[in-house]
Amino acid sequence: MKTNIQSVHAREILDSRGNPTIEVDVILFDGSKGRAAVPSGASTGIHEAVELRDNQSSRYGGKGVATAVKNVNIDIAAAIRDLDALDQTQVDRTLLELDGTANKGKLGANAILGVSLAVARAAADACHMPLYRYLGGATACRLPVPMFNILNGGVHANWQGTDLQEFMIAPVGAPNFAEALRWGTEIYHYLKKVLKEGGYSVGVGDEGGFAPALKRNVDALDLIVKAIEGAGYRPGEDVVLALDPASSGFYEDGLYHLRTENRKVSAAEMVAMYADWVAKYPISLLEDGLAEDDWDGWKLLNRELGNKIELVGDDIFVTNVERIARGIKENVANAVLIKLNQIGTLTETVAAVRMAYAADWGAMVSHRSGETVDSFIADFTVALDTGHLKTGAPCRGERVEKYNQLLRIEESLGESAIFAGRRNVLPRVS
Ligand code: 2PG
Ligand code: MG
């Protein structure tokens, strides 16, 4: 058949941090082509699928992915050659069977994901369809609220800034995606001015947000509110705030270690701190407020704030349906963060989104802190209609490429485009 896979070829390329990652090219018998590159996290959850690195210190300090490349070019290429690229489920099942482990440790989730995504792109090419249309069907037309991470901390700022990793703004009041992008970008630039005036550094972190060394984490919220107002927007009306503390990164021996503030606090104290912030600032979303295995803490968090804001699980769920199912059963959150490389195939990622929807939970698609210019997640977000996407500040080529792709999608949809706006950032709040 014309849409069967003719060849699969992987290579080692660099990501935005200058670390090696995988890029895969897939060619079908009709000449259709698909290319995909795999991102890489820094504040990775311990339950994520395995990112296979060579651990050979003489190359790239052990971070090479030559083994994963070889796995694609030899074993995977042989296993999926001749499969129909339009049958994504069969392709992904074949990859899972070939790997045979629970965590994709044999072939590497990075090797598997590169192939899975490149096959989808080749199939879309064969159908002469844009990726969002191929993945999402005839009715895919809703653009997400961009969640701009304009102030970076934690490991993304080398622990030189705030303990909390991400302070985001969401222009929920914008009439369309292009305007949301403009609003967010203007606020980002205004924040630079506010920081300069305050005598802070305006160097940027891994995701393009500024990374000032603030004395208290809460100071970031004040600076951002100032920037929103300074840029001419109304906090809480036009633009809301979102946080990803990535708290697994500062959870030690049962306590949360806020280094900048020189204090160690319990889960209950963290929850009280968030509740206080939610009362004082227009915060609509909190991701990873507590650590990846602090299930009791999460239950408390959800009891306190689950009816007020969106509580998104990243490291706790790792886009894995088994962990999401537990989260739904134990009622610990109301949304899931969706990262393709946490689980390793397109099919499993879609299953995670569907599980969230079936429970009336939200789903927020996410980039990784190590990225390439691949914009798969932009199309994926529109296809799966998740209503919001976080892919960094409106700064750094690998971040803006996703936002620019959403501009292109909005343009091509023309009158049919819908902007998710406020409702989709606050799925459970009236
Ligand atoms: C996160 C991500 C992306 P990393 O924690 O949500 O922002 O960071 O890719 O480093 O895990
Ligand atoms: Mg996170």
Side-chain angles (χ1 to χ4, degrees):
M1 275 218 321
K2 287 202 248 158
T3 51
N4 288 10
I5 295 166
Q6 183 181 49
S7 74
V8 182
H9 178 73
R11 64 180 67 81
E12 190 176 52
I13 63 165
L14 292 182
D15 73 13
S16 56
R17 277 193 282 249
N19 291 325
T21 189
I22 287 204
E23 179 176 83
V24 178
D25 289 344
V26 165
I27 301 177
L28 310 186
F29 279 101
D30 69 354
S32 301
K33 291 190 181 84
R35 170 174 289 170
V38 179
S40 171
S43 62
T44 40
I46 54 173
H47 304 289
E48 295 191 21
V50 173
E51 178 184 71
L52 194 65
R53 300 253 173 217
D54 300 335
N55 294 322
Q56 189 196 333
S57 56
S58 55
R59 285 190 79 246
Y60 289 115
K63 289 187 186 283
V65 291
T67 320
V69 164
K70 204 171 95 205
N71 290 345
V72 173
N73 291 340
I74 298 176
D75 296 340
I76 293 180
I80 68 165
R81 199 182 133 90
D82 274 330
L83 293 188
D84 185 357
L86 296 182
D87 192 346
Q88 185 77 37
T89 314
Q90 191 198 17
V91 170
D92 288 344
R93 195 177 53 238
T94 305
L95 294 170
L96 293 185
E97 283 167 6
L98 184 67
D99 179 81
T101 68
N103 61 5
K104 304 188 176 66
K106 186 174 165 215
L107 298 170
N110 43 351
I112 292 173
L113 183 66
V115 174
S116 182
L117 302 187
V119 166
R121 273 234 173 82
D125 187 34
C127 296
H128 306 289
M129 281 184 189
L131 185 61
Y132 75 90
R133 175 74 65 217
Y134 170 71
L135 295 176
T139 57
C141 63
R142 186 148 52 173
L143 277 296
V145 171
M147 313 291 289
F148 298 108
N149 176 14
I150 59 172
L151 200 146
N152 294 185
V155 68
H156 296 168
N158 218 11
W159 297 107
Q160 304 296 307
T162 52
D163 303 293
L164 275 53
Q165 181 177 283
E166 302 173 23
F167 292 84
M168 292 173 269
I169 51 166
V172 290
N176 55 41
F177 179 79
E179 282 294 276
L181 183 60
R182 181 173 70 82
W183 293 14
T185 307
E186 289 171 2
I187 295 164
Y188 175 75
H189 289 297
Y190 205 95
L191 179 61
K192 185 174 191 174
K193 197 170 125 139
V194 170
L195 291 171
K196 271 190 186 162
E197 281 167 7
Y200 296 110
S201 146
V202 290
V204 301
D206 287 356
E207 299 187 348
F210 302 112
L214 305 179
K215 288 210 183 59
R216 299 176 317 154
N217 290 288
V218 70
D219 294 345
L221 296 173
D222 290 317
L223 291 164
I224 289 173
V225 166
K226 207 170 162 191
I228 294 172
E229 286 168 347
Y233 299 99
R234 294 166 301 172
E237 300 286 321
D238 301 324
V239 182
V240 295
L241 308 183
L243 304 174
D244 175 12
S247 61
S248 308
F250 52 86
Y251 185 62
E252 289 155 21
D253 304 324
L255 290 175
Y256 294 86
H257 190 176
L258 301 171
R259 291 177 185 76
T260 56
E261 299 172 16
N262 200 19
R263 57 195 186 108
K264 291 184 180 171
V265 300
S266 66
E269 288 170 295
M270 288 292 279
V271 171
M273 179 182 82
Y274 295 136
D276 179 47
W277 289 0
V278 167
K280 293 184 182 141
Y281 299 91
I283 296 171
S284 297
L285 180 151
L286 173 64
E287 176 193 331
D288 278 8
L290 296 172
E292 56 207 340
D293 286 315
D294 189 0
W295 292 85
D296 289 338
W298 273 91
K299 270 182 220 161
L300 176 67
L301 179 65
N302 196 40
R303 269 206 304 277
E304 286 296 316
L305 290 174
N307 60 353
K308 293 200 177 83
I309 61 170
E310 189 169 1
L311 293 176
V312 185
D314 172 10
D315 291 355
I316 189 171
F317 299 138
V318 292
T319 318
N320 181 320
V321 288
E322 279 172 31
R323 293 185 68 89
I324 299 167
R326 177 175 170 193
I328 292 167
K329 195 160 152 244
E330 298 188 18
N331 197 23
V332 301
N334 57 35
V336 183
L337 196 75
I338 299 294
K339 289 169 167 167
L340 288 143
N341 82 324
Q342 278 182 329
I343 192 67
T345 63
L346 180 57
T347 304
E348 290 166 288
T349 310
V350 171
V353 175
R354 288 194 181 137
M355 181 176 275
Y357 287 169
D360 203 19
W361 279 28
M364 177 162 82
V365 177
S366 169
H367 64 159
R368 298 309 305 248
S369 50
E371 271 290 338
T372 69
V373 292
D374 188 310
S375 59
F376 194 102
I377 55 171
D379 287 71
F380 181 77
T381 300
V382 176
L384 274 287
D385 200 17
T386 65
H388 45 355
L389 162 77
K390 68 163 191 172
T391 182
C395 169
R396 295 184 61 136
E398 76 282 0
R399 312 294 146 186
V400 299
E401 185 52 26
K402 279 73 163 171
Y403 296 129
N404 289 339
Q405 173 67 1
L406 288 165
L407 282 179
R408 294 178 200 114
I409 293 174
E410 186 168 66
E411 183 185 70
S412 72
L413 282 165
E415 297 264 295
S416 306
I418 300 172
F419 179 58
R422 176 171 290 275
R423 273 161 304 143
N424 288 76
V425 174
L426 304 168
R428 289 168 42 124
V429 183
S430 56

